[in-house]
Amino acid sequence: MQNVLSVCVYGSLCDSLCLFASLQSLPDVLGSHLVRVQVKACGLSALDLKLLGDVGIQKDLIPVGREVAGVVLQVGDKVSFFQPEDEVVGILPLDSPCSGLCDVIDIDEHYLVQKPEKLSSVCVAGALRDGLCAYTALHTHARMAAGHTLLVMDGASSFGLMCIQLACYHGVKVLTTSHSPQKHTFLEQLRPSVAKVIPVYNGSSDLLPVVLEETGGLGVDIVIDSGVRLHEEESEDTKLLPHKHDIISVLGVGGSLDCRLLHLKSASVTFLNQEVWMASSAQQGRYLHILKDIVEKMSTGVLRPQPEEPVPLYEATVAMETVQRHQKKKAIVQL
């Protein structure tokens, strides 16, 4: 048996989390379809404990760090996609027994794709999940096509940036909002450029009139939001979020986002849960195709993520705590 250091999180569905490190063992004999990977970088995203409970994952120890990039050390006897020394990237399943913060992990080959040589492990581990979310939102749900008009809320976020770049590549007209003067400047300097950057950090409520002006009064075809607020909600956490009514109002007829207004526009609302790709083996082929397309677009510069500076392994617990408390959206650990 081979012992590896794993960083796990202990918690319940309602209590606060406590991070600690533990030793885990890997078997000497590798499973038939398993790939043993030496992890080079791991992305940390906030745990959705409510989702884990909803899908029946009830355990005290929940490994953290699921987006991984590394090098293949060993493959099972029925593995057909990889061989030792291949560079790979993937997302561990929700019920994974091991953490991506382990030095070495065993993972089913159907959760991995080849990493292009010119793409850094830190970059892809930090952006893969956001790329998957953007792809799912725009292609799978919204059926994005050239000539559509898209509004991306908080376009300077890592997820928002992936949406903007993917949409621009497919010939979509993109409008976006900015949450600070620095983010506004960043978004205006993007290439390919967006049609309009709308500031929402100065307390103004110009979203609806600006969108209608930019679209000739028609509204947009697709809205990607990062949360909304009701009119009575005015807390510090929600002040930059748009009102629900404004989001629905900017949609054009037949667009994708009171139900009565959606009905009048023949519009629809969909909810983004990227975990559905791993919920059924029937989706594995499509899921791997999406992952391959994402890393290829990163390699060729179509998608240009702005990853966080990586932290060393000994700072992983502190980094995960800041992510879980929503003080930052993402952290990357370099092993």
Side-chain angles (χ1 to χ4, degrees), residues 27-64:
D28 294 328
V29 179
L30 200 58
S32 296
H33 289 283
L34 294 182
V35 178
R36 185 157 291 172
V37 177
Q38 182 175 16
V39 180
K40 297 297 184 181
C42 174
L44 300 178
S45 300
L47 289 170
D48 188 340
L49 295 178
K50 180 67 166 60
L51 173 63
L52 292 173
D54 289 342
V55 298
I57 299 177
Q58 301 277 2
K59 53 185 179 180
D60 290 336
L61 295 180
I62 304 171
V64 302

PDB file of all heavy atoms in Angstrom, residues 27-64:
ATOM      1  N   PRO A  27      -3.901   1.410  -3.291  1.00  0.00           N
ATOM      2  CA  PRO A  27      -3.600  -0.032  -3.428  1.00  0.00           C
ATOM      3  C   PRO A  27      -2.390  -0.264  -4.321  1.00  0.00           C
ATOM      4  O   PRO A  27      -2.093   0.529  -5.217  1.00  0.00           O
ATOM      5  CB  PRO A  27      -4.882  -0.589  -4.056  1.00  0.00           C
ATOM      6  CG  PRO A  27      -5.491   0.573  -4.776  1.00  0.00           C
ATOM      7  CD  PRO A  27      -5.163   1.782  -3.950  1.00  0.00           C
ATOM      8  N   ASP A  28      -1.700  -1.375  -4.076  1.00  0.00           N
ATOM      9  CA  ASP A  28      -0.549  -1.728  -4.911  1.00  0.00           C
ATOM     10  C   ASP A  28      -0.986  -2.117  -6.320  1.00  0.00           C
ATOM     11  O   ASP A  28      -0.318  -1.831  -7.301  1.00  0.00           O
ATOM     12  CB  ASP A  28       0.234  -2.887  -4.266  1.00  0.00           C
ATOM     13  CG  ASP A  28       0.886  -2.475  -2.946  1.00  0.00           C
ATOM     14  OD1 ASP A  28       1.265  -1.293  -2.836  1.00  0.00           O
ATOM     15  OD2 ASP A  28       0.991  -3.324  -2.047  1.00  0.00           O
ATOM     16  N   VAL A  29      -2.141  -2.788  -6.414  1.00  0.00           N
ATOM     17  CA  VAL A  29      -2.667  -3.218  -7.709  1.00  0.00           C
ATOM     18  C   VAL A  29      -3.739  -2.225  -8.156  1.00  0.00           C
ATOM     19  O   VAL A  29      -4.736  -2.009  -7.465  1.00  0.00           O
ATOM     20  CB  VAL A  29      -3.256  -4.636  -7.630  1.00  0.00           C
ATOM     21  CG1 VAL A  29      -3.819  -5.045  -8.995  1.00  0.00           C
ATOM     22  CG2 VAL A  29      -2.209  -5.628  -7.166  1.00  0.00           C
ATOM     23  N   LEU A  30      -3.522  -1.640  -9.334  1.00  0.00           N
ATOM     24  CA  LEU A  30      -4.425  -0.611  -9.838  1.00  0.00           C
ATOM     25  C   LEU A  30      -5.645  -1.254 -10.499  1.00  0.00           C
ATOM     26  O   LEU A  30      -5.527  -2.277 -11.184  1.00  0.00           O
ATOM     27  CB  LEU A  30      -3.673   0.256 -10.855  1.00  0.00           C
ATOM     28  CG  LEU A  30      -4.218   1.641 -11.172  1.00  0.00           C
ATOM     29  CD1 LEU A  30      -4.307   2.490  -9.913  1.00  0.00           C
ATOM     30  CD2 LEU A  30      -3.304   2.331 -12.186  1.00  0.00           C
ATOM     31  N   GLY A  31      -6.841  -0.666 -10.278  1.00  0.00           N
ATOM     32  CA  GLY A  31      -8.058  -1.160 -10.925  1.00  0.00           C
ATOM     33  C   GLY A  31      -7.961  -1.117 -12.436  1.00  0.00           C
ATOM     34  O   GLY A  31      -7.190  -0.323 -13.011  1.00  0.00           O
ATOM     35  N   SER A  32      -8.764  -1.925 -13.106  1.00  0.00           N
ATOM     36  CA  SER A  32      -8.642  -2.112 -14.557  1.00  0.00           C
ATOM     37  C   SER A  32      -8.756  -0.820 -15.349  1.00  0.00           C
ATOM     38  O   SER A  32      -8.016  -0.596 -16.317  1.00  0.00           O
ATOM     39  CB  SER A  32      -9.708  -3.100 -15.043  1.00  0.00           C
ATOM     40  OG  SER A  32      -9.506  -4.373 -14.489  1.00  0.00           O
ATOM     41  N   HIS A  33      -9.691   0.070 -14.973  1.00  0.00           N
ATOM     42  CA  HIS A  33      -9.917   1.297 -15.732  1.00  0.00           C
ATOM     43  C   HIS A  33      -9.381   2.536 -15.012  1.00  0.00           C
ATOM     44  O   HIS A  33      -9.702   3.662 -15.388  1.00  0.00           O
ATOM     45  CB  HIS A  33     -11.415   1.476 -16.006  1.00  0.00           C
ATOM     46  CG  HIS A  33     -11.963   0.495 -16.995  1.00  0.00           C
ATOM     47  ND1 HIS A  33     -11.769   0.602 -18.354  1.00  0.00           N
ATOM     48  CD2 HIS A  33     -12.683  -0.645 -16.807  1.00  0.00           C
ATOM     49  CE1 HIS A  33     -12.359  -0.399 -18.971  1.00  0.00           C
ATOM     50  NE2 HIS A  33     -12.919  -1.180 -18.057  1.00  0.00           N
ATOM     51  N   LEU A  34      -8.558   2.337 -13.998  1.00  0.00           N
ATOM     52  CA  LEU A  34      -8.029   3.458 -13.225  1.00  0.00           C
ATOM     53  C   LEU A  34      -6.696   3.941 -13.769  1.00  0.00           C
ATOM     54  O   LEU A  34      -5.916   3.176 -14.350  1.00  0.00           O
ATOM     55  CB  LEU A  34      -7.874   3.073 -11.751  1.00  0.00           C
ATOM     56  CG  LEU A  34      -9.156   2.793 -10.975  1.00  0.00           C
ATOM     57  CD1 LEU A  34      -8.834   2.473  -9.525  1.00  0.00           C
ATOM     58  CD2 LEU A  34     -10.107   3.980 -11.052  1.00  0.00           C
ATOM     59  N   VAL A  35      -6.458   5.234 -13.557  1.00  0.00           N
ATOM     60  CA  VAL A  35      -5.203   5.870 -13.948  1.00  0.00           C
ATOM     61  C   VAL A  35      -4.593   6.486 -12.696  1.00  0.00           C
ATOM     62  O   VAL A  35      -5.272   7.209 -11.960  1.00  0.00           O
ATOM     63  CB  VAL A  35      -5.450   6.972 -15.009  1.00  0.00           C
ATOM     64  CG1 VAL A  35      -4.143   7.662 -15.376  1.00  0.00           C
ATOM     65  CG2 VAL A  35      -6.117   6.385 -16.243  1.00  0.00           C
ATOM     66  N   ARG A  36      -3.338   6.190 -12.437  1.00  0.00           N
ATOM     67  CA  ARG A  36      -2.643   6.785 -11.291  1.00  0.00           C
ATOM     68  C   ARG A  36      -1.917   8.038 -11.766  1.00  0.00           C
ATOM     69  O   ARG A  36      -1.105   7.984 -12.694  1.00  0.00           O
ATOM     70  CB  ARG A  36      -1.672   5.792 -10.666  1.00  0.00           C
ATOM     71  CG  ARG A  36      -0.984   6.291  -9.399  1.00  0.00           C
ATOM     72  CD  ARG A  36      -0.503   5.143  -8.538  1.00  0.00           C
ATOM     73  NE  ARG A  36      -1.643   4.413  -7.967  1.00  0.00           N
ATOM     74  CZ  ARG A  36      -1.519   3.256  -7.300  1.00  0.00           C
ATOM     75  NH1 ARG A  36      -0.323   2.701  -7.136  1.00  0.00           N
ATOM     76  NH2 ARG A  36      -2.596   2.663  -6.812  1.00  0.00           N
ATOM     77  N   VAL A  37      -2.253   9.160 -11.144  1.00  0.00           N
ATOM     78  CA  VAL A  37      -1.772  10.463 -11.608  1.00  0.00           C
ATOM     79  C   VAL A  37      -0.995  11.166 -10.503  1.00  0.00           C
ATOM     80  O   VAL A  37      -1.450  11.216  -9.352  1.00  0.00           O
ATOM     81  CB  VAL A  37      -2.957  11.361 -12.040  1.00  0.00           C
ATOM     82  CG1 VAL A  37      -2.470  12.745 -12.457  1.00  0.00           C
ATOM     83  CG2 VAL A  37      -3.728  10.708 -13.176  1.00  0.00           C
ATOM     84  N   GLN A  38       0.153  11.693 -10.854  1.00  0.00           N
ATOM     85  CA  GLN A  38       0.879  12.584  -9.950  1.00  0.00           C
ATOM     86  C   GLN A  38       0.366  13.996 -10.188  1.00  0.00           C
ATOM     87  O   GLN A  38       0.498  14.548 -11.273  1.00  0.00           O
ATOM     88  CB  GLN A  38       2.380  12.529 -10.192  1.00  0.00           C
ATOM     89  CG  GLN A  38       3.177  13.412  -9.239  1.00  0.00           C
ATOM     90  CD  GLN A  38       4.671  13.257  -9.404  1.00  0.00           C
ATOM     91  OE1 GLN A  38       5.142  12.722 -10.405  1.00  0.00           O
ATOM     92  NE2 GLN A  38       5.429  13.719  -8.424  1.00  0.00           N
ATOM     93  N   VAL A  39      -0.263  14.578  -9.172  1.00  0.00           N
ATOM     94  CA  VAL A  39      -0.930  15.872  -9.320  1.00  0.00           C
ATOM     95  C   VAL A  39       0.098  17.000  -9.325  1.00  0.00           C
ATOM     96  O   VAL A  39       0.991  17.060  -8.469  1.00  0.00           O
ATOM     97  CB  VAL A  39      -1.950  16.089  -8.187  1.00  0.00           C
ATOM     98  CG1 VAL A  39      -2.643  17.440  -8.348  1.00  0.00           C
ATOM     99  CG2 VAL A  39      -2.984  14.970  -8.170  1.00  0.00           C
ATOM    100  N   LYS A  40      -0.031  17.896 -10.296  1.00  0.00           N
ATOM    101  CA  LYS A  40       0.842  19.068 -10.401  1.00  0.00           C
ATOM    102  C   LYS A  40       0.142  20.342  -9.940  1.00  0.00           C
ATOM    103  O   LYS A  40       0.787  21.262  -9.426  1.00  0.00           O
ATOM    104  CB  LYS A  40       1.306  19.239 -11.853  1.00  0.00           C
ATOM    105  CG  LYS A  40       2.155  18.088 -12.378  1.00  0.00           C
ATOM    106  CD  LYS A  40       3.455  17.961 -11.616  1.00  0.00           C
ATOM    107  CE  LYS A  40       4.349  16.873 -12.219  1.00  0.00           C
ATOM    108  NZ  LYS A  40       5.601  16.732 -11.452  1.00  0.00           N
ATOM    109  N   ALA A  41      -1.165  20.422 -10.143  1.00  0.00           N
ATOM    110  CA  ALA A  41      -1.930  21.601  -9.723  1.00  0.00           C
ATOM    111  C   ALA A  41      -3.360  21.184  -9.441  1.00  0.00           C
ATOM    112  O   ALA A  41      -3.885  20.244 -10.057  1.00  0.00           O
ATOM    113  CB  ALA A  41      -1.904  22.689 -10.794  1.00  0.00           C
ATOM    114  N   CYS A  42      -3.995  21.887  -8.510  1.00  0.00           N
ATOM    115  CA  CYS A  42      -5.358  21.553  -8.104  1.00  0.00           C
ATOM    116  C   CYS A  42      -6.143  22.838  -7.891  1.00  0.00           C
ATOM    117  O   CYS A  42      -5.685  23.752  -7.202  1.00  0.00           O
ATOM    118  CB  CYS A  42      -5.341  20.721  -6.820  1.00  0.00           C
ATOM    119  SG  CYS A  42      -6.971  20.384  -6.133  1.00  0.00           S
ATOM    120  N   GLY A  43      -7.332  22.923  -8.475  1.00  0.00           N
ATOM    121  CA  GLY A  43      -8.206  24.071  -8.283  1.00  0.00           C
ATOM    122  C   GLY A  43      -9.154  23.840  -7.124  1.00  0.00           C
ATOM    123  O   GLY A  43      -9.709  22.751  -6.967  1.00  0.00           O
ATOM    124  N   LEU A  44      -9.330  24.866  -6.296  1.00  0.00           N
ATOM    125  CA  LEU A  44     -10.223  24.784  -5.138  1.00  0.00           C
ATOM    126  C   LEU A  44     -11.465  25.633  -5.395  1.00  0.00           C
ATOM    127  O   LEU A  44     -11.366  26.827  -5.650  1.00  0.00           O
ATOM    128  CB  LEU A  44      -9.523  25.276  -3.872  1.00  0.00           C
ATOM    129  CG  LEU A  44      -8.249  24.533  -3.439  1.00  0.00           C
ATOM    130  CD1 LEU A  44      -7.667  25.190  -2.195  1.00  0.00           C
ATOM    131  CD2 LEU A  44      -8.540  23.063  -3.190  1.00  0.00           C
ATOM    132  N   SER A  45     -12.625  25.008  -5.327  1.00  0.00           N
ATOM    133  CA  SER A  45     -13.906  25.704  -5.448  1.00  0.00           C
ATOM    134  C   SER A  45     -14.715  25.429  -4.187  1.00  0.00           C
ATOM    135  O   SER A  45     -14.490  24.435  -3.490  1.00  0.00           O
ATOM    136  CB  SER A  45     -14.679  25.218  -6.675  1.00  0.00           C
ATOM    137  OG  SER A  45     -13.953  25.432  -7.865  1.00  0.00           O
ATOM    138  N   ALA A  46     -15.665  26.305  -3.899  1.00  0.00           N
ATOM    139  CA  ALA A  46     -16.476  26.155  -2.690  1.00  0.00           C
ATOM    140  C   ALA A  46     -17.299  24.868  -2.757  1.00  0.00           C
ATOM    141  O   ALA A  46     -17.819  24.495  -3.814  1.00  0.00           O
ATOM    142  CB  ALA A  46     -17.393  27.361  -2.517  1.00  0.00           C
ATOM    143  N   LEU A  47     -17.383  24.180  -1.616  1.00  0.00           N
ATOM    144  CA  LEU A  47     -18.200  22.980  -1.521  1.00  0.00           C
ATOM    145  C   LEU A  47     -19.670  23.356  -1.386  1.00  0.00           C
ATOM    146  O   LEU A  47     -20.023  24.225  -0.594  1.00  0.00           O
ATOM    147  CB  LEU A  47     -17.794  22.153  -0.302  1.00  0.00           C
ATOM    148  CG  LEU A  47     -16.447  21.433  -0.357  1.00  0.00           C
ATOM    149  CD1 LEU A  47     -16.122  20.886   1.019  1.00  0.00           C
ATOM    150  CD2 LEU A  47     -16.457  20.326  -1.386  1.00  0.00           C
ATOM    151  N   ASP A  48     -20.511  22.697  -2.145  1.00  0.00           N
ATOM    152  CA  ASP A  48     -21.951  22.874  -2.023  1.00  0.00           C
ATOM    153  C   ASP A  48     -22.477  21.720  -1.163  1.00  0.00           C
ATOM    154  O   ASP A  48     -22.860  20.667  -1.675  1.00  0.00           O
ATOM    155  CB  ASP A  48     -22.606  22.878  -3.406  1.00  0.00           C
ATOM    156  CG  ASP A  48     -24.078  23.244  -3.363  1.00  0.00           C
ATOM    157  OD1 ASP A  48     -24.683  23.127  -2.278  1.00  0.00           O
ATOM    158  OD2 ASP A  48     -24.620  23.631  -4.413  1.00  0.00           O
ATOM    159  N   LEU A  49     -22.476  21.909   0.142  1.00  0.00           N
ATOM    160  CA  LEU A  49     -22.880  20.838   1.044  1.00  0.00           C
ATOM    161  C   LEU A  49     -24.359  20.479   0.869  1.00  0.00           C
ATOM    162  O   LEU A  49     -24.751  19.334   1.064  1.00  0.00           O
ATOM    163  CB  LEU A  49     -22.599  21.244   2.487  1.00  0.00           C
ATOM    164  CG  LEU A  49     -21.112  21.434   2.835  1.00  0.00           C
ATOM    165  CD1 LEU A  49     -20.963  21.894   4.271  1.00  0.00           C
ATOM    166  CD2 LEU A  49     -20.324  20.173   2.591  1.00  0.00           C
ATOM    167  N   LYS A  50     -25.163  21.463   0.504  1.00  0.00           N
ATOM    168  CA  LYS A  50     -26.587  21.187   0.263  1.00  0.00           C
ATOM    169  C   LYS A  50     -26.739  20.236  -0.929  1.00  0.00           C
ATOM    170  O   LYS A  50     -27.538  19.288  -0.869  1.00  0.00           O
ATOM    171  CB  LYS A  50     -27.321  22.500  -0.008  1.00  0.00           C
ATOM    172  CG  LYS A  50     -28.815  22.359  -0.270  1.00  0.00           C
ATOM    173  CD  LYS A  50     -29.554  21.902   0.965  1.00  0.00           C
ATOM    174  CE  LYS A  50     -31.068  22.083   0.829  1.00  0.00           C
ATOM    175  NZ  LYS A  50     -31.634  21.325  -0.297  1.00  0.00           N
ATOM    176  N   LEU A  51     -25.999  20.470  -1.987  1.00  0.00           N
ATOM    177  CA  LEU A  51     -26.057  19.592  -3.156  1.00  0.00           C
ATOM    178  C   LEU A  51     -25.594  18.189  -2.802  1.00  0.00           C
ATOM    179  O   LEU A  51     -26.208  17.194  -3.210  1.00  0.00           O
ATOM    180  CB  LEU A  51     -25.192  20.162  -4.281  1.00  0.00           C
ATOM    181  CG  LEU A  51     -25.023  19.280  -5.520  1.00  0.00           C
ATOM    182  CD1 LEU A  51     -26.362  19.054  -6.204  1.00  0.00           C
ATOM    183  CD2 LEU A  51     -24.019  19.888  -6.487  1.00  0.00           C
ATOM    184  N   LEU A  52     -24.509  18.084  -2.040  1.00  0.00           N
ATOM    185  CA  LEU A  52     -24.016  16.770  -1.636  1.00  0.00           C
ATOM    186  C   LEU A  52     -25.084  16.005  -0.869  1.00  0.00           C
ATOM    187  O   LEU A  52     -25.280  14.801  -1.075  1.00  0.00           O
ATOM    188  CB  LEU A  52     -22.756  16.926  -0.780  1.00  0.00           C
ATOM    189  CG  LEU A  52     -21.509  17.444  -1.504  1.00  0.00           C
ATOM    190  CD1 LEU A  52     -20.394  17.716  -0.511  1.00  0.00           C
ATOM    191  CD2 LEU A  52     -21.040  16.465  -2.561  1.00  0.00           C
ATOM    192  N   GLY A  53     -25.781  16.709   0.023  1.00  0.00           N
ATOM    193  CA  GLY A  53     -26.860  16.067   0.763  1.00  0.00           C
ATOM    194  C   GLY A  53     -28.012  15.656  -0.129  1.00  0.00           C
ATOM    195  O   GLY A  53     -28.593  14.574   0.028  1.00  0.00           O
ATOM    196  N   ASP A  54     -28.350  16.507  -1.105  1.00  0.00           N
ATOM    197  CA  ASP A  54     -29.471  16.223  -2.007  1.00  0.00           C
ATOM    198  C   ASP A  54     -29.230  14.982  -2.864  1.00  0.00           C
ATOM    199  O   ASP A  54     -30.172  14.273  -3.219  1.00  0.00           O
ATOM    200  CB  ASP A  54     -29.739  17.424  -2.914  1.00  0.00           C
ATOM    201  CG  ASP A  54     -30.352  18.604  -2.159  1.00  0.00           C
ATOM    202  OD1 ASP A  54     -30.872  18.389  -1.049  1.00  0.00           O
ATOM    203  OD2 ASP A  54     -30.294  19.734  -2.685  1.00  0.00           O
ATOM    204  N   VAL A  55     -27.965  14.733  -3.225  1.00  0.00           N
ATOM    205  CA  VAL A  55     -27.658  13.571  -4.073  1.00  0.00           C
ATOM    206  C   VAL A  55     -27.274  12.353  -3.241  1.00  0.00           C
ATOM    207  O   VAL A  55     -26.830  11.337  -3.789  1.00  0.00           O
ATOM    208  CB  VAL A  55     -26.547  13.897  -5.093  1.00  0.00           C
ATOM    209  CG1 VAL A  55     -26.983  15.002  -6.025  1.00  0.00           C
ATOM    210  CG2 VAL A  55     -25.233  14.267  -4.395  1.00  0.00           C
ATOM    211  N   GLY A  56     -27.426  12.464  -1.926  1.00  0.00           N
ATOM    212  CA  GLY A  56     -27.236  11.305  -1.061  1.00  0.00           C
ATOM    213  C   GLY A  56     -25.820  11.046  -0.613  1.00  0.00           C
ATOM    214  O   GLY A  56     -25.511   9.949  -0.132  1.00  0.00           O
ATOM    215  N   ILE A  57     -24.932  12.026  -0.757  1.00  0.00           N
ATOM    216  CA  ILE A  57     -23.560  11.862  -0.271  1.00  0.00           C
ATOM    217  C   ILE A  57     -23.510  12.372   1.164  1.00  0.00           C
ATOM    218  O   ILE A  57     -23.442  13.580   1.408  1.00  0.00           O
ATOM    219  CB  ILE A  57     -22.553  12.612  -1.163  1.00  0.00           C
ATOM    220  CG1 ILE A  57     -22.611  12.047  -2.589  1.00  0.00           C
ATOM    221  CG2 ILE A  57     -21.143  12.497  -0.601  1.00  0.00           C
ATOM    222  CD1 ILE A  57     -21.716  12.759  -3.570  1.00  0.00           C
ATOM    223  N   GLN A  58     -23.604  11.456   2.095  1.00  0.00           N
ATOM    224  CA  GLN A  58     -23.646  11.803   3.506  1.00  0.00           C
ATOM    225  C   GLN A  58     -22.441  11.146   4.185  1.00  0.00           C
ATOM    226  O   GLN A  58     -22.443   9.952   4.452  1.00  0.00           O
ATOM    227  CB  GLN A  58     -24.946  11.281   4.150  1.00  0.00           C
ATOM    228  CG  GLN A  58     -26.206  11.823   3.518  1.00  0.00           C
ATOM    229  CD  GLN A  58     -26.585  13.205   4.050  1.00  0.00           C
ATOM    230  OE1 GLN A  58     -25.882  13.780   4.867  1.00  0.00           O
ATOM    231  NE2 GLN A  58     -27.705  13.733   3.583  1.00  0.00           N
ATOM    232  N   LYS A  59     -21.391  11.912   4.403  1.00  0.00           N
ATOM    233  CA  LYS A  59     -20.223  11.389   5.101  1.00  0.00           C
ATOM    234  C   LYS A  59     -19.515  12.524   5.820  1.00  0.00           C
ATOM    235  O   LYS A  59     -19.633  13.693   5.447  1.00  0.00           O
ATOM    236  CB  LYS A  59     -19.272  10.687   4.127  1.00  0.00           C
ATOM    237  CG  LYS A  59     -18.845  11.505   2.922  1.00  0.00           C
ATOM    238  CD  LYS A  59     -18.015  10.659   1.972  1.00  0.00           C
ATOM    239  CE  LYS A  59     -17.585  11.459   0.744  1.00  0.00           C
ATOM    240  NZ  LYS A  59     -16.776  10.645  -0.185  1.00  0.00           N
ATOM    241  N   ASP A  60     -18.792  12.149   6.849  1.00  0.00           N
ATOM    242  CA  ASP A  60     -18.129  13.159   7.673  1.00  0.00           C
ATOM    243  C   ASP A  60     -16.930  13.775   6.974  1.00  0.00           C
ATOM    244  O   ASP A  60     -16.657  14.958   7.119  1.00  0.00           O
ATOM    245  CB  ASP A  60     -17.676  12.538   9.007  1.00  0.00           C
ATOM    246  CG  ASP A  60     -18.857  12.196   9.902  1.00  0.00           C
ATOM    247  OD1 ASP A  60     -19.919  12.823   9.727  1.00  0.00           O
ATOM    248  OD2 ASP A  60     -18.725  11.301  10.745  1.00  0.00           O
ATOM    249  N   LEU A  61     -16.190  12.967   6.223  1.00  0.00           N
ATOM    250  CA  LEU A  61     -14.991  13.455   5.539  1.00  0.00           C
ATOM    251  C   LEU A  61     -15.287  13.696   4.071  1.00  0.00           C
ATOM    252  O   LEU A  61     -15.642  12.774   3.344  1.00  0.00           O
ATOM    253  CB  LEU A  61     -13.845  12.455   5.681  1.00  0.00           C
ATOM    254  CG  LEU A  61     -13.321  12.242   7.091  1.00  0.00           C
ATOM    255  CD1 LEU A  61     -12.185  11.223   7.078  1.00  0.00           C
ATOM    256  CD2 LEU A  61     -12.835  13.548   7.693  1.00  0.00           C
ATOM    257  N   ILE A  62     -15.164  14.935   3.647  1.00  0.00           N
ATOM    258  CA  ILE A  62     -15.432  15.298   2.251  1.00  0.00           C
ATOM    259  C   ILE A  62     -14.137  15.839   1.650  1.00  0.00           C
ATOM    260  O   ILE A  62     -13.683  16.919   2.013  1.00  0.00           O
ATOM    261  CB  ILE A  62     -16.529  16.366   2.145  1.00  0.00           C
ATOM    262  CG1 ILE A  62     -17.802  15.878   2.848  1.00  0.00           C
ATOM    263  CG2 ILE A  62     -16.812  16.690   0.684  1.00  0.00           C
ATOM    264  CD1 ILE A  62     -18.857  16.952   2.977  1.00  0.00           C
ATOM    265  N   PRO A  63     -13.495  15.103   0.737  1.00  0.00           N
ATOM    266  CA  PRO A  63     -12.256  15.596   0.135  1.00  0.00           C
ATOM    267  C   PRO A  63     -12.498  16.885  -0.650  1.00  0.00           C
ATOM    268  O   PRO A  63     -13.518  17.039  -1.312  1.00  0.00           O
ATOM    269  CB  PRO A  63     -11.833  14.459  -0.805  1.00  0.00           C
ATOM    270  CG  PRO A  63     -12.552  13.251  -0.284  1.00  0.00           C
ATOM    271  CD  PRO A  63     -13.852  13.762   0.262  1.00  0.00           C
ATOM    272  N   VAL A  64     -11.562  17.811  -0.564  1.00  0.00           N
ATOM    273  CA  VAL A  64     -11.677  19.075  -1.298  1.00  0.00           C
ATOM    274  C   VAL A  64     -10.667  19.100  -2.436  1.00  0.00           C
ATOM    275  O   VAL A  64      -9.682  18.371  -2.438  1.00  0.00           O
ATOM    276  CB  VAL A  64     -11.449  20.288  -0.364  1.00  0.00           C
ATOM    277  CG1 VAL A  64     -12.434  20.284   0.776  1.00  0.00           C
ATOM    278  CG2 VAL A  64     -10.015  20.311   0.176  1.00  0.00           C
TER     279      VAL A  64
END
